[in-house]
Amino acid sequence: MPTFTLIKMPLEAELAWAERAARLQIIDAYVTARTESEATAARWEAVRYDRTHPGASSLVEELNAHDHQPAAA
């Protein structure tokens, strides 16, 4: 007799929290960047995020609201 493994699908709330965590991680990387290259890398991550989540609000626009100043060492 064959056995079946149940696959647990994440709940909608779990997916929403994961998306929020991903956005906050990119924002944090941008805000706390110590160099322009780190800030640029975070901006490219935001562009990638926006392209893979076309229905979400633009993360690039959210970063545009912040004037990047390198974080204090």
Side-chain angles (χ1 to χ4, degrees), residues 7-58:
I7 299 173
K8 181 183 174 197
M9 298 298 292
L11 299 174
E12 201 170 307
E14 292 173 321
L15 292 173
W17 278 107
E19 288 298 321
R20 182 176 185 275
R23 289 178 69 91
L24 290 175
Q25 184 178 13
I26 294 169
I27 293 168
D28 184 61
Y30 180 73
V31 172
T32 61
R34 295 178 191 261
T35 65
E36 284 299 318
S37 62
E38 289 176 359
T40 300
R43 288 188 68 78
W44 277 111
E45 279 298 310
V47 169
R48 184 190 63 77
Y49 179 90
D50 283 353
R51 288 182 180 165
T52 58
H53 300 88
S57 62
S58 174

